[in-house]
């Protein structure tokens, strides 16, 4: 990249120098040409006004070394030339300056001679007696001017070119340096002295890097946890199956082992289901369809479904509140209610109570699941939504928990642009509120 920028800057410099030189030479020559023609014109008019050419014979000499004076008849015959014998000269009727002078009274032309590397400037004027007075002057051509200036131009170009290469080198270095520093040590970019315009770019890259690292760490932890969680029931299943296979277990034991195998298989299934669900929720591309959902009705069907579990745990499960509509995915909302109620039942005390309430305000619809259970300490309230985090590992496992229920709930709530509030006191109970936007507004 550095090399490329360097080369581009150098090429740009060469182009700029060349274009400037060509332009300067061009402008200079144009000015010079106009000056030459202006002088010739002034001189010709001066000569014509002197009356010298009104004499009968043209036997006179004009002492002029630089200028060449020619007198031409109306039909192009040369009468006089200050440098060459006029009788030797061919007819000049076809010369552009003569043609113009015969037609308009005056005319000019510049002719380039390759052999002499010179340009000749001509100015022709039609005198009162019809004769054409032509004055000519040789001058170096634009190319020979350029050629003579070439050493100076060459030295100038090389010096400017050298300076530009050095500047291009340092410019490229200072431009690329922050990016190189960033590539070398992306974590501590604070020390990078970058251009003001590069700061947002560096911040974005750093933020993205942090997110990627955080995501990678989370995935790593999750994979390790999953492997561990799957290993425990699988080891149990394999162990019981081996005992049955060996034929050493009594009939009574076989029954017990089969129950254990069944229990552990269910646990595995629950785990796998939760993992699949979480990974689906993690996939951003999966489009979730939302529609108006009657929250009270959904809560009622979930409560009805969970009544058996509540009774088994000797917990009273009741629903109260009012109809309220939210924009949601019905299946996902069912998942939220079932998970929260299931926790409220499992982490409850015998003879406890779970109240599911749906209320709404002007702006919000609130789903509250309140239990009279064991409660959650303040420090644990921050962590219960983490994957596989359990306050009491053995109680969770023995009641069929996977440690993923609240992580799934949190994901779904975020997808619904809703939020949660946890209020809990150890030994007294827990209330978890999910607060949705009211679509009836
Ligand atoms: P689990 O499958 O273990 O229940 P969750 O993700 O649903 O996993 O919950 C995480 C942890 O939060 C649980 O292990 C439990 O310790 C705690 N918890 C969740 N809900 C309640 C509740 N209503 N009362 C007390 N503790 C709870």
């Amino acid at each position: 990249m550095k090399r490329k920028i360097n080369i581009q800057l150098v090429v740009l410099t060469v182009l700029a120098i060349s274009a400037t030189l060509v332009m300067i030479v061009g402008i200079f020559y144009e000015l010079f040409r106009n000056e030459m023609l202006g002088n010739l014109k002034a001189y010709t008019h001066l000569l014509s006004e002197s009356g010298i050419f009104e004499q009968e014979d043209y036997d006179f000499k004009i002492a002029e070394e630089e200028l060449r004076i020619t007198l031409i008849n109306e039909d192009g015959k040369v009468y006089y030339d200050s440098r060459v014998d006029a009788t030797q000269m061919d007819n000049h009727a076809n010369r552009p300056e003569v043609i113009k002078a015969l037609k308009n009274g005056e005319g000019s032309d510049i002719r380039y001679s390759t052999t002499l590397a010179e340009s000749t400037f001509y100015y022709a004027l039609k005198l009162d007696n019809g004769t054409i007075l032509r004055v000519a002057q040789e001058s170096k051509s634009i190319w020979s001017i350029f050629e003579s200036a070439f050493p100076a131009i060459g030295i100038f170009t090389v010096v400017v070119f050298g300076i530009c290469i050095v500047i291009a080198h340092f410019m490229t270095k200072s431009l690329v340096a922050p990016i190189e520093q960033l590539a070398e040590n992306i974590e501590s970019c604070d020390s990078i002295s970058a251009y003001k315009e590069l700061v947002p770019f560096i911040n974005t890259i750093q933020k993205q890097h942090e997110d990627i690292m955080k995501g990678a760490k989370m995935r790593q932890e999750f994979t390790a946890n999953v492997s561990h969680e799957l290993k425990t029931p699988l080891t149990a299943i394999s162990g019981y199956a081996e005992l049955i296979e060996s034929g050493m277990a009594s009939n009574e034991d076989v029954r017990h082992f089969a129950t254990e195998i069944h229990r552990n298989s269910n646990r595995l299934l629950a785990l796998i289901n939760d993992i699949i669900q979480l990974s689906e929720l993690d996939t951003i591309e999966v489009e979730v369809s939302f529609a108006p959902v009657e929250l009270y009705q959904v809560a009622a069907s979930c409560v009805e479904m969970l009544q058996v579990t509540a009774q088994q745990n000797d917990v009273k499960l009741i629903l109260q509140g009012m109809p309220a509509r939210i924009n949601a995915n019905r299946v996902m909302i069912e998942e939220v209610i079932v998970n929260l109620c299931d926790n409220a039942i499992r982490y409850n005390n015998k003879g406890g109570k779970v109240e599911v309430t749906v209320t709404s305000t002007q702006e919000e619809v609130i789903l509250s699941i309140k239990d009279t259970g064991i409660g959650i300490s303040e420090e644990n309230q921050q962590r219960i939504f983490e994957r596989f985090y359990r306050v009491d590992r053995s109680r969770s496992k023995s009641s069929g928990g996977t440690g993923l229920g609240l992580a799934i709930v949190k994901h779904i709530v975020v997808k619904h642009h809703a939020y949660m509030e946890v209020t809990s006191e150890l030994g007294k109970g827990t209330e978890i509120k999910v607060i949705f936007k009211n679509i009836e507004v």
Side-chain angles (χ1 to χ4, degrees):
M1 178 188 173
K2 238 185 194 168
R3 222 174 103 84
K4 214 170 160 189
I5 297 179
N6 238 324
I7 292 172
Q8 280 172 351
L9 281 173
V10 169
V11 169
L12 204 72
T13 313
V14 171
L15 284 177
I17 294 175
S18 316
T20 314
L21 283 175
V22 169
M23 213 176 74
I24 288 175
V25 170
I27 292 173
F28 174 71
Y29 185 72
E30 189 61 26
L31 290 172
F32 168 75
R33 206 180 67 127
N34 289 343
E35 180 79 15
M36 281 285 281
L37 285 174
N39 285 345
L40 275 183
K41 187 176 175 179
Y43 192 81
T44 313
H45 279 272
L46 209 72
L47 274 177
S48 80
E49 278 156 23
S50 70
I52 225 172
F53 303 106
E54 264 109 64
Q55 294 167 25
E56 279 292 302
D57 67 82
Y58 297 114
D59 189 18
F60 57 86
K61 281 262 178 276
I62 293 168
E64 184 55 77
E65 279 179 13
E66 280 183 28
L67 299 177
R68 178 181 172 186
I69 294 153
T70 315
L71 286 167
I72 305 152
N73 202 342
E74 268 170 277
D75 52 16
K77 189 172 180 306
V78 179
Y79 282 94
Y80 171 78
D81 192 274
S82 64
R83 286 205 192 147
V84 185
D85 179 5
T87 53
Q88 305 290 311
M89 291 173 72
D90 58 350
N91 191 293
H92 271 40
N94 61 349
R95 302 294 197 272
E97 69 281 8
V98 176
I99 296 170
K100 282 183 217 160
L102 283 169
K103 201 173 161 208
N104 308 323
E106 61 171 359
S108 64
D109 193 33
I110 303 163
R111 288 198 279 281
Y112 176 65
S113 151
T114 14
T115 39
L116 296 173
E118 277 187 346
S119 295
T120 309
F121 291 73
Y122 295 96
Y123 181 78
L125 179 72
K126 193 176 177 184
L127 302 177
D128 292 342
N129 60 6
T131 309
I132 303 294
L133 166 62
R134 188 185 78 170
V135 179
Q137 188 177 11
E138 283 89 21
S139 142
K140 282 183 168 183
S141 70
I142 183 164
W143 305 119
S144 55
I145 293 171
F146 195 71
E147 254 168 44
S148 57
F150 194 73
I153 291 174
I155 293 169
F156 169 77
T157 310
V158 169
V159 171
V160 174
F161 187 60
I163 295 170
C164 287
I165 285 183
V166 175
I167 295 174
H169 175 74
F170 282 109
M171 263 175 70
T172 314
K173 215 170 146 185
S174 63
L175 198 76
V176 177
I179 299 167
E180 281 179 338
Q181 273 174 284
L182 187 72
E184 268 167 33
N185 192 0
I186 202 162
E187 262 132 36
S188 63
C189 320
D190 301 342
S191 55
I192 298 174
S193 50
Y195 292 104
K196 199 169 78 223
E197 291 78 4
L198 273 179
V199 173
F201 165 73
I202 291 176
N203 288 344
T204 311
I205 296 277
Q206 201 177 16
K207 170 92 190 23
Q208 278 178 356
H209 175 73
E210 273 170 23
D211 289 349
I212 290 169
M213 295 311 279
K214 223 190 265 172
K217 196 168 165 246
M218 256 178 65
R219 271 192 296 277
Q220 215 173 16
E221 279 173 11
F222 183 64
T223 316
N225 277 329
V226 166
S227 316
H228 178 77
E229 295 287 333
L230 292 177
K231 209 174 145 199
T232 320
L234 265 176
T235 314
I237 292 169
S238 165
Y240 290 125
E242 204 181 333
L243 283 174
I244 298 171
E245 196 184 25
S246 69
M248 284 159 65
S250 65
N251 273 356
E252 190 66 17
D253 287 342
V254 170
R255 229 186 141 76
H256 168 64
F257 294 164
T259 314
E260 282 305 309
I261 290 173
H262 189 200
R263 197 173 64 82
N264 279 292
S265 308
N266 281 344
R267 193 170 151 60
L268 264 182
L269 266 176
L271 250 171
I272 290 166
N273 273 339
D274 280 359
I275 292 166
I276 291 173
Q277 203 175 354
L278 255 183
S279 79
E280 275 174 6
L281 285 166
D282 269 341
T283 324
I284 310 159
E285 294 88 49
V286 176
E287 271 289 316
V288 183
S289 58
F290 289 88
V293 168
E294 180 48 70
L295 186 59
Y296 187 85
Q297 259 176 29
V298 182
S301 71
C302 293
V303 164
E304 198 186 321
M305 193 180 83
L306 286 163
Q307 283 302 350
V308 181
T309 322
Q311 275 162 24
Q312 280 167 355
N313 284 272
D314 194 12
V315 170
K316 211 166 141 200
L317 176 61
I318 53 165
L319 170 71
Q320 54 199 19
M322 53 170 93
R325 267 149 59 93
I326 54 167
N327 195 32
N329 177 289
R330 191 188 169 100
V331 179
M332 284 185 167
I333 294 302
E334 277 172 359
E335 186 76 30
V336 168
I337 301 170
V338 169
N339 270 338
L340 292 176
C341 288
D342 190 50
N343 280 351
I345 297 167
R346 285 191 293 121
Y347 301 106
N348 218 316
N349 301 310
K350 290 245 172 280
K353 196 163 94 174
V354 175
E355 281 172 12
V356 180
T357 317
V358 177
T359 49
S360 71
T361 65
Q362 191 79 41
E363 276 106 35
E364 293 169 337
V365 172
I366 303 146
L367 166 74
S368 153
I369 286 108
K370 190 175 177 188
D371 64 62
T372 54
I374 59 171
I376 311 162
S377 69
E378 213 163 299
E379 60 185 288
N380 281 320
Q381 285 174 29
Q382 315 292 322
R383 303 203 56 192
I384 49 172
F385 296 98
E386 288 172 24
R387 294 166 185 201
F388 293 115
Y389 186 81
R390 291 123 156 165
V391 179
D392 182 345
R393 186 162 279 271
S394 60
R395 178 160 184 161
S396 159
K397 282 192 175 175
S398 64
S399 62
T402 60
L404 294 174
L406 286 185
I408 293 172
V409 168
K410 189 182 158 194
H411 249 295
I412 296 175
V413 168
V414 170
K415 274 214 183 321
H416 281 77
H417 307 290
Y419 63 98
M420 279 190 288
E421 274 175 15
V422 181
T423 330
S424 187
E425 204 179 320
L426 267 181
K428 289 219 165 139
T430 305
E431 180 178 17
I432 298 184
K433 280 185 187 166
V434 185
I435 298 147
F436 300 90
K437 209 166 171 253
N438 193 343
I439 57 165
E440 306 282 76
V441 202

